[in-house]
Protein backbone atom coordinates (compact mmCIF):
# COMPACT_ATOMS: atom_id res chain seq x y z
CA UNK A 1 0.00 0.00 0.00
CA UNK A 2 1.33 3.45 -0.88
CA UNK A 3 2.18 5.77 1.96
CA UNK A 4 0.46 9.12 1.81
CA UNK A 5 3.19 11.79 1.92
CA UNK A 6 1.05 14.73 2.90
CA UNK A 7 -2.52 15.92 3.10
CA UNK A 8 -2.56 16.89 -0.58
CA UNK A 9 -1.67 13.31 -1.56
CA UNK A 10 -4.57 12.10 0.57
CA UNK A 11 -6.93 14.56 -1.13
CA UNK A 12 -5.75 13.32 -4.51
CA UNK A 13 -6.24 9.66 -3.56
CA UNK A 14 -9.70 10.40 -2.14
CA UNK A 15 -10.72 12.30 -5.28
CA UNK A 16 -9.51 9.37 -7.38
CA UNK A 17 -11.59 6.91 -5.32
CA UNK A 18 -14.67 9.11 -5.61
CA UNK A 19 -14.18 9.33 -9.37
CA UNK A 20 -13.80 5.54 -9.60
CA UNK A 21 -17.00 4.93 -7.64
CA UNK A 22 -19.04 7.76 -9.20
CA UNK A 23 -20.05 5.44 -12.04
CA UNK A 24 -22.41 3.65 -9.63
CA UNK A 25 -24.59 6.69 -8.97
CA UNK A 26 -27.99 6.21 -10.60
CA UNK A 27 -28.81 9.49 -12.31
CA UNK A 28 -32.15 8.66 -13.98
CA UNK A 29 -35.34 9.81 -12.24
CA UNK A 30 -36.50 7.34 -9.60
CA UNK A 31 -38.95 4.70 -10.80
CA UNK A 32 -38.77 5.51 -14.53
CA UNK A 33 -37.94 2.90 -17.16
CA UNK A 34 -34.56 4.60 -17.57
CA UNK A 35 -34.00 4.30 -13.81
CA UNK A 36 -34.68 0.57 -13.82
CA UNK A 37 -32.46 0.03 -16.85
CA UNK A 38 -29.60 1.99 -15.29
CA UNK A 39 -30.18 0.37 -11.89
CA UNK A 40 -30.12 -3.13 -13.41
CA UNK A 41 -26.85 -2.42 -15.24
CA UNK A 42 -25.15 -1.10 -12.10
CA UNK A 43 -26.55 -3.84 -9.87
CA UNK A 44 -25.30 -6.50 -12.28
CA UNK A 45 -21.85 -4.96 -12.31
CA UNK A 46 -21.76 -4.95 -8.51
CA UNK A 47 -22.82 -8.59 -8.25
CA UNK A 48 -20.21 -9.71 -10.79
CA UNK A 49 -17.43 -7.55 -9.33
CA UNK A 50 -18.10 -8.74 -5.78
CA UNK A 51 -18.09 -12.35 -6.95
CA UNK A 52 -14.77 -11.83 -8.74
CA UNK A 53 -13.16 -10.22 -5.69
CA UNK A 54 -14.41 -12.99 -3.40
CA UNK A 55 -13.05 -15.63 -5.77
CA UNK A 56 -9.70 -13.85 -6.11
CA UNK A 57 -9.35 -13.70 -2.33
CA UNK A 58 -10.34 -17.35 -1.94
CA UNK A 59 -8.13 -18.69 -4.75
CA UNK A 60 -5.06 -16.49 -4.33
CA UNK A 61 -5.14 -15.74 -0.60
CA UNK A 62 -1.96 -17.70 0.12
CA UNK A 63 -0.16 -16.49 -3.03
CA UNK A 64 -0.72 -12.74 -2.67
CA UNK A 65 1.14 -10.40 -0.34
CA UNK A 66 -0.89 -9.34 2.70
CA UNK A 67 -1.13 -5.78 1.39
CA UNK A 68 -2.91 -7.04 -1.73
CA UNK A 69 -5.38 -9.06 0.37
CA UNK A 70 -6.08 -5.94 2.45
CA UNK A 71 -6.67 -3.95 -0.75
CA UNK A 72 -9.06 -6.59 -2.14
CA UNK A 73 -10.92 -6.75 1.18
CA UNK A 74 -11.28 -2.96 1.21
CA UNK A 75 -12.62 -3.07 -2.35
CA UNK A 76 -15.12 -5.73 -1.33
CA UNK A 77 -16.34 -3.55 1.54
CA UNK A 78 -16.75 -0.59 -0.84
CA UNK A 79 -18.83 -2.69 -3.20
CA UNK A 80 -20.98 -3.93 -0.29
CA UNK A 81 -21.70 -0.29 0.57
CA UNK A 82 -22.59 0.46 -3.05
CA UNK A 83 -24.91 -2.58 -3.05
CA UNK A 84 -26.63 -1.11 0.04
CA UNK A 85 -27.08 2.20 -1.81
CA UNK A 86 -28.56 0.43 -4.85
CA UNK A 87 -30.83 -1.64 -2.62
CA UNK A 88 -32.10 1.53 -0.91
CA UNK A 89 -32.87 3.05 -4.31
CA UNK A 90 -34.72 -0.13 -5.37
CA UNK A 91 -36.80 -0.19 -2.20
CA UNK A 92 -37.63 3.51 -2.54
CA UNK A 93 -38.66 3.14 -6.20
CA UNK A 94 -40.87 0.17 -5.31
CA UNK A 95 -42.49 2.07 -2.42
CA UNK A 96 -43.32 4.91 -4.82
CA UNK A 97 -45.28 2.32 -6.82
CA UNK A 98 -46.99 1.09 -3.64
CA UNK A 99 -44.99 -2.14 -3.42
CA UNK A 100 -43.63 -3.04 0.01
CA UNK A 101 -40.35 -4.93 -0.07
CA UNK A 102 -39.36 -4.63 3.61
CA UNK A 103 -37.27 -7.53 4.82
CA UNK A 104 -36.24 -8.53 1.29
CA UNK A 105 -32.75 -7.54 0.23
CA UNK A 106 -32.14 -8.42 -3.40
CA UNK A 107 -28.36 -8.45 -3.09
CA UNK A 108 -28.38 -10.78 -0.08
CA UNK A 109 -30.72 -13.12 -1.96
CA UNK A 110 -28.65 -13.10 -5.17
CA UNK A 111 -25.30 -13.54 -3.50
CA UNK A 112 -26.19 -15.56 -0.42
CA UNK A 113 -24.51 -12.95 1.76
CA UNK A 114 -26.25 -14.23 4.88
CA UNK A 115 -24.73 -17.68 4.35
CA UNK A 116 -21.50 -18.65 6.03
CA UNK A 117 -18.40 -18.00 3.92
CA UNK A 118 -16.37 -21.10 3.15
Amino acid sequence: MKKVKNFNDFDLLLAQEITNLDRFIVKSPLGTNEFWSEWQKKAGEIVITKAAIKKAIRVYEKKLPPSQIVKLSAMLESFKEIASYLELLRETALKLKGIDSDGFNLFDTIEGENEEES
Side-chain angles (χ1 to χ4, degrees), residues 58-103:
R58 199 170 44 251
V59 171
Y60 298 106
E61 185 173 20
K62 294 183 179 20
K63 298 175 186 171
L64 291 173
S67 62
Q68 195 67 20
I69 297 296
V70 168
K71 183 178 178 180
L72 286 170
S73 296
M75 286 175 61
L76 185 59
E77 286 304 311
S78 291
F79 285 114
K80 285 180 179 180
E81 290 179 34
I82 294 165
S84 293
Y85 156 74
L86 291 172
E87 179 60 21
L88 179 62
L89 286 179
R90 183 188 73 84
E91 288 176 7
T92 304
L94 289 173
K95 284 182 182 180
L96 287 174
K97 288 186 171 192
I99 301 169
D100 187 17
S101 65
D102 288 343

Side-chain angles (χ1 to χ4, degrees), residues 30-52:
L30 199 62
T32 63
N33 288 341
E34 294 81 13
F35 165 82
W36 288 112
S37 179
E38 187 178 354
W39 184 91
Q40 183 178 3
K41 179 182 176 199
K42 292 169 191 298
E45 187 177 344
I46 288 293
V47 170
I48 297 303
T49 303
K50 285 174 62 179

